[in-house]
Amino acid sequence: MGIELSTDSAQVLVAFAAYLVGVALLGYFSHRYLTRGAFVNEYFLGNRGLGPWVLALTVAATAISGGTFMGFPSLIYTNGWIMALWIASYMVGPLTGMTLMGKRLNQVSRICGSVTVPDVLRDRFNSPTLGITASLLILACLMVNLVGQFKAGGTVMREALRLPPLRADVAATEVDDKNKELVVTFRQDDGTELTQRTALPAATAVLLPNKTEIRETDNGPDHLLFHFQIDKTEAVKRVAFPPQQLRLPFSGQALDKGYLLGLIIFAITVIGYTTYGGFWAVTLTDVLEGLVMLAGVITMAVLAVRAVPAIEVERSVPDRGAGQAATRKVELHGLAAATEHLRRQDPQLVYGPGPGDYLPLGMAFSFFLMWSLMSPGQPSGMVRLMSFKDSASARRATMLMCFYFAITYLCLLAIFICARAIFPRDYLHEAGSEARGEPDQIMPAMARHLAHPLVAGLLLAAPYAAIMSTVAAFLLMISSSLVRDLYQRVINPNVSERTLKISSYVITALVGVGVMIGALNPPRFLQYVIVFTGSAMGCAFLVPMLLTLYWKRATRSGILAGMLGGFFAVVSLYVLGWTDSRCQRALKEYEQATAVAAARGEAPPPAPVTARWLDDTLGWIPGWGQERHDPFNPIFAAGVDTLVWGMLASLILGVGVSMLGRPDAEQVRRFFPELES
Amino acid sequence: MSDKEAAARLLRNARREMLLILGVTALALVWTVGYCFLHGYQHAPDSWVVQSGLASTRSAEDLQQIAGLPDWVFVGIVLPWLMCTAFSIGVCLGLKDDDLGKEAASTQGAAHGH
């Protein structure tokens, strides 16, 4: 079956294709570097040759992920100005990301000839256990994370492709009051039925019968518009016709054809250039991706600010003649108009903690720590710090990153504050719901609304670029963990250069293909696992690495305890959160069932013994029993995020266990030289 | 300067820079989160921050704009962001370059093609 594309999509695809050709060319040219010297050093670390521009853009592009361009815009659109506080700690991001440990990490990795983060830990303490543990933690966390990134890549590409939907008729429409969803059943020509479930625009929304409209494009019916009554206003809900399906040959599973095609294009490009070009391909494409992102947000910010409808306000101005204040009508434009629109829509959009108590004090504190300290705690960022050529490069890169982060994040804030002013609640109702917010659609919607399809294609390439750079960095990290940390350093230390070379290419490609298969039908709770792995890795590596680099009293047992302590503290809070959700649900259901049985004069149902026992035993934990919107949310003990507890656990265990032992005197002399005068 | 002395100098400088950065991060956290909480959050009239006089209740009509932004965003976030950027650039211009040392032979010979 051929692929039908709309004209609009074709133009978007031309822009996308131009970008992808650039990426492929950089991958091709990077391959030439690989013949210069030692293969492993060149393939995984670029032979420590990064200058300031490449360094700044590669660190920034790796830190900025798909979430920055998909999830973050959606959060700004839903929650308004409080998101400025949510993201504020990027003001110190360049300092913490680059200068906190950059120079020293680079020096230590040179002293021991380390190529990867586990290498550094292993060589600094002369401990294979430490190296293997670090490799396994990186492998486990990054593999899961990569599945999510691949999914995001496939989703963006599907948006660019925009395949026409399935040809089908509407068979039935009903409102699921329990789940607050609109359920539309479509019937294909062969009689197969498909169901689309969409959140109601608001909890109080009432469906207006006989007002449903079918909207068509050149390719036939595209989506339905349902009309709802919300209090006294009318809202429209958009329900797309189901996407074209494709059945997998062996499992028979039906998949969205657009997503599958998008995923394959994404996977081929990113696996191709990473495998072929190694570290240099990843960093050089990071430069291109970083520039595409920067150009994208600046262009979009200018267009968005200009697109905000002007609004009139009354301002008091001093009347010089009468000596009293008088009111005068003033017309606001741009960002000022957007802020005024938001204030009139809902005052919670211009004040903290935001709609639905989005960012209470404890979480504002947690997010400040998250963005400023979790980025330097990621092993993918640490590898970049091991690869710059001199300290002047690091200094200049820090300066460049200051401008890069400030422009990117402040522009993103401005764009999606304007988006809320341009598409008020209508878009929230049309595409998402007031209760659940807006799914990751506002970014593509704004790109298409603001610009010509060709420019929109380039704007859409920005999130694609962000996802690509993160994926490439992670792919190389996983490959280096398997090839260098586990195979070369544990299984076969005398492996030949040729075998290393072949295994590096093969492993990188295989990991990519494996992750792509995992992303074909990822589990619903994947996004939580991704958030979890980011926090867990940061908590496992930040404090232990700082102690490794700066504290001569640190011991291998202390660092191991700090690493595992940070990791398992985060895991425990997630597991406890999930357990708590299940317990509370079981207890609530029991209470309801008991009440119903009593009303009917029947015997009460059997009590949930395990849930009750767990609730009695674990009820003392701060945050236990708190209502959470999602069963996969962790326990926010004392109102702060898991990363605060993870870092505390890592610090206490890292320092405490180190104090119980003695460091290796020879290693201390090697890594902590004293000044003679 | 000997290699050992250069390495020791780098360690000393890196340690100082680390402490400076942690200090600046703490200061930025207190300013940003503290100011925004006190001046950008809507507090109940009987909350402790209002009762103690640290914050006031803010209504939709109270909102002031500075450069198109809510006043608390400008003073609590944009201003410290500009100051942090200026500070970062100042620090980077003021920092002395250190010798990162020579690349040691990799622990595994094969990595260097032996």
mmCIF file of all heavy atoms in Angstrom, chain A residues 22 165 185 224 382 402 483 497 525 530 548 587 591 630 640 648:
data_model
loop_
_atom_site.group_PDB
_atom_site.id
_atom_site.type_symbol
_atom_site.label_atom_id
_atom_site.label_comp_id
_atom_site.label_asym_id
_atom_site.label_seq_id
_atom_site.Cartn_x
_atom_site.Cartn_y
_atom_site.Cartn_z
ATOM 1 N N GLY A 22 21.745 17.079 6.260
ATOM 2 C CA GLY A 22 22.852 17.724 6.977
ATOM 3 C C GLY A 22 23.423 16.791 8.033
ATOM 4 O O GLY A 22 24.644 16.623 8.161
ATOM 5 N N PRO A 165 -5.966 9.816 7.835
ATOM 6 C CA PRO A 165 -6.479 8.792 8.759
ATOM 7 C C PRO A 165 -7.167 7.651 8.018
ATOM 8 O O PRO A 165 -7.315 7.676 6.798
ATOM 9 C CB PRO A 165 -7.464 9.566 9.628
ATOM 10 C CG PRO A 165 -7.874 10.717 8.798
ATOM 11 C CD PRO A 165 -6.742 11.039 7.887
ATOM 12 N N THR A 185 -16.761 5.148 18.693
ATOM 13 C CA THR A 185 -16.459 3.890 18.009
ATOM 14 C C THR A 185 -16.572 4.102 16.504
ATOM 15 O O THR A 185 -17.577 4.639 16.018
ATOM 16 C CB THR A 185 -17.448 2.786 18.460
ATOM 17 O OG1 THR A 185 -17.438 2.753 19.886
ATOM 18 C CG2 THR A 185 -17.039 1.426 17.922
ATOM 19 N N LEU A 224 -13.586 14.785 13.911
ATOM 20 C CA LEU A 224 -14.948 15.154 14.302
ATOM 21 C C LEU A 224 -14.878 16.276 15.325
ATOM 22 O O LEU A 224 -13.925 16.333 16.118
ATOM 23 C CB LEU A 224 -15.633 13.957 14.974
ATOM 24 C CG LEU A 224 -15.844 12.717 14.112
ATOM 25 C CD1 LEU A 224 -15.940 11.495 15.005
ATOM 26 C CD2 LEU A 224 -17.114 12.866 13.294
ATOM 27 N N MET A 382 28.957 13.956 31.816
ATOM 28 C CA MET A 382 30.322 13.817 32.348
ATOM 29 C C MET A 382 31.312 13.444 31.249
ATOM 30 O O MET A 382 32.453 13.891 31.236
ATOM 31 C CB MET A 382 30.357 12.753 33.445
ATOM 32 C CG MET A 382 29.646 13.176 34.721
ATOM 33 S SD MET A 382 29.731 11.854 35.927
ATOM 34 C CE MET A 382 28.629 12.464 37.177
ATOM 35 N N CYS A 402 25.877 30.047 28.722
ATOM 36 C CA CYS A 402 25.058 31.030 29.457
ATOM 37 C C CYS A 402 24.053 31.668 28.501
ATOM 38 O O CYS A 402 22.862 31.767 28.803
ATOM 39 C CB CYS A 402 25.938 32.135 30.030
ATOM 40 S SG CYS A 402 26.873 31.615 31.437
ATOM 41 N N VAL A 483 31.145 -2.351 25.325
ATOM 42 C CA VAL A 483 32.389 -2.689 24.629
ATOM 43 C C VAL A 483 33.608 -2.431 25.504
ATOM 44 O O VAL A 483 34.464 -3.292 25.697
ATOM 45 C CB VAL A 483 32.506 -1.889 23.307
ATOM 46 C CG1 VAL A 483 33.837 -2.155 22.632
ATOM 47 C CG2 VAL A 483 31.376 -2.255 22.374
ATOM 48 N N GLU A 497 42.629 -4.502 18.263
ATOM 49 C CA GLU A 497 42.040 -3.237 17.792
ATOM 50 C C GLU A 497 40.903 -3.515 16.788
ATOM 51 O O GLU A 497 39.853 -2.895 16.832
ATOM 52 C CB GLU A 497 43.146 -2.417 17.114
ATOM 53 C CG GLU A 497 42.661 -1.148 16.441
ATOM 54 C CD GLU A 497 42.806 0.087 17.325
ATOM 55 O OE1 GLU A 497 43.157 -0.058 18.504
ATOM 56 O OE2 GLU A 497 42.550 1.189 16.817
ATOM 57 N N PHE A 525 3.247 3.292 31.284
ATOM 58 C CA PHE A 525 3.935 3.963 32.390
ATOM 59 C C PHE A 525 5.374 4.358 32.042
ATOM 60 O O PHE A 525 6.142 4.746 32.906
ATOM 61 C CB PHE A 525 3.921 3.084 33.647
ATOM 62 C CG PHE A 525 4.466 1.711 33.439
ATOM 63 C CD1 PHE A 525 5.830 1.474 33.494
ATOM 64 C CD2 PHE A 525 3.616 0.645 33.175
ATOM 65 C CE1 PHE A 525 6.340 0.207 33.293
ATOM 66 C CE2 PHE A 525 4.121 -0.629 32.964
ATOM 67 C CZ PHE A 525 5.480 -0.853 33.032
ATOM 68 N N ILE A 530 11.049 7.007 32.768
ATOM 69 C CA ILE A 530 12.055 7.927 32.257
ATOM 70 C C ILE A 530 12.406 8.981 33.310
ATOM 71 O O ILE A 530 13.579 9.246 33.580
ATOM 72 C CB ILE A 530 11.567 8.605 30.964
ATOM 73 C CG1 ILE A 530 11.511 7.547 29.864
ATOM 74 C CG2 ILE A 530 12.466 9.754 30.561
ATOM 75 C CD1 ILE A 530 10.850 8.012 28.610
ATOM 76 N N THR A 548 34.748 11.579 44.635
ATOM 77 C CA THR A 548 35.869 10.936 43.937
ATOM 78 C C THR A 548 36.909 11.969 43.495
ATOM 79 O O THR A 548 38.111 11.759 43.617
ATOM 80 C CB THR A 548 35.332 10.196 42.684
ATOM 81 O OG1 THR A 548 34.443 9.185 43.122
ATOM 82 C CG2 THR A 548 36.442 9.582 41.863
ATOM 83 N N LEU A 587 -8.275 -0.256 49.980
ATOM 84 C CA LEU A 587 -9.016 0.108 51.194
ATOM 85 C C LEU A 587 -10.282 0.899 50.851
ATOM 86 O O LEU A 587 -11.330 0.705 51.460
ATOM 87 C CB LEU A 587 -8.113 0.924 52.130
ATOM 88 C CG LEU A 587 -6.948 0.141 52.759
ATOM 89 C CD1 LEU A 587 -6.014 1.063 53.523
ATOM 90 C CD2 LEU A 587 -7.478 -0.957 53.695
ATOM 91 N N GLU A 591 -14.149 -0.172 51.581
ATOM 92 C CA GLU A 591 -15.109 0.682 52.306
ATOM 93 C C GLU A 591 -16.413 0.826 51.513
ATOM 94 O O GLU A 591 -17.496 0.710 52.070
ATOM 95 C CB GLU A 591 -14.510 2.080 52.499
ATOM 96 C CG GLU A 591 -13.816 2.265 53.826
ATOM 97 C CD GLU A 591 -13.184 3.647 53.916
ATOM 98 O OE1 GLU A 591 -13.772 4.606 53.382
ATOM 99 O OE2 GLU A 591 -12.099 3.729 54.489
ATOM 100 N N ASP A 630 -1.781 9.934 39.974
ATOM 101 C CA ASP A 630 -1.385 8.800 39.161
ATOM 102 C C ASP A 630 -0.750 7.728 40.042
ATOM 103 O O ASP A 630 0.062 8.048 40.913
ATOM 104 C CB ASP A 630 -0.377 9.271 38.110
ATOM 105 C CG ASP A 630 -0.387 8.340 36.928
ATOM 106 O OD1 ASP A 630 0.028 7.191 37.113
ATOM 107 O OD2 ASP A 630 -0.826 8.750 35.845
ATOM 108 N N VAL A 640 8.904 17.131 49.214
ATOM 109 C CA VAL A 640 9.986 17.371 48.246
ATOM 110 C C VAL A 640 10.166 16.156 47.344
ATOM 111 O O VAL A 640 9.749 15.048 47.673
ATOM 112 C CB VAL A 640 11.340 17.720 48.924
ATOM 113 C CG1 VAL A 640 11.255 19.035 49.650
ATOM 114 C CG2 VAL A 640 11.796 16.605 49.840
ATOM 115 N N LEU A 648 20.636 13.090 49.434
ATOM 116 C CA LEU A 648 20.990 13.036 50.864
ATOM 117 C C LEU A 648 21.519 11.656 51.233
ATOM 118 O O LEU A 648 22.548 11.520 51.917
ATOM 119 C CB LEU A 648 19.756 13.342 51.706
ATOM 120 C CG LEU A 648 19.604 14.772 52.213
ATOM 121 C CD1 LEU A 648 18.312 14.904 52.991
ATOM 122 C CD2 LEU A 648 20.786 15.187 53.076
#
